Amino acid sequence: MSGSHAYLAGLLTEARPIWEAMVRHPFVRELAAGTLAPERFAFWVQQDYLFVREALKIRGLSIARAPDEGIRRALIDNAAALRRELDLFEEYAREHGLSLEVEPTPVCLGYAAYRQAAAALGSFPEFLAGTWAAEKAYLDTWSTVKGAARSAGDYQRWIENWTSPGFVAWVEWLETTLARLLEGQPAHELERVRAAFLTTARFEYLFWDMVYRRESWPV
Ligand SMILES: Cc1ncc(CN)c(N)n1
């Protein structure tokens, strides 16, 4: 294992408590058990839809800032996959008569703004580390749901999307590309990557917690 691969493996170990809190969150457990209240699920659909719409703008920024042509093309391909994520939410909303015209909650807005700032102002590895954390979080959470779900029912489209071979390959590409970009980087850059990875993982936890509580603006 190269030095930078080992560094990323160390980050995953450091982030394990966040990951465990995420995949064991009541939202995820109840989703897998088929006992999640429909209004909680609907709240997730509405807020994640807004988040993915912002993520698509973030992808655009990162395409412009990609350090080489190979990375740029992989990000362009992923933008098409993100575009399809939006379709899943729109289809579900149409089928269930759910409005997607809602205000973002503080956590949704804060998380999206944090990611936009990383894409616009951060170093490219820092941005990529956050992307890896966010996408790996979804891969691992939805894989947990897939493994435990008694009846996937309405959730099947999301389970398939975030556990598909294409999505697994994208998450692996993020890790491998980040490891390549980190070869020979100074300690302060590694530290920025570490902070971006851990902060993004914490936001992922917060997102599940926010939708479970249906937590909006207090005033
Ligand atoms: C909060 C969040 N994180 C990640 C993903 C997967 N693109 C998502 N849809 N929403």
Side-chain angles (χ1 to χ4, degrees), residues 44 48 51-52 59 82 85 89 111 134-135 138 162 167 204 207:
W44 170 76
D48 212 55
F51 183 80
V52 174
R59 210 53 96 245
L82 261 186
E85 278 186 26
F89 291 102
Y111 184 19
E135 301 290 64
Y138 258 45
W162 288 308
F167 193 70
E204 285 290 329
F207 204 92

Side-chain angles (χ1 to χ4, degrees), residues 31-34 145 148-156 159:
L31 188 65
V145 174
R150 292 203 189 111
S151 138
D154 268 350
Y155 316 143
Q156 190 58 34
I159 294 179

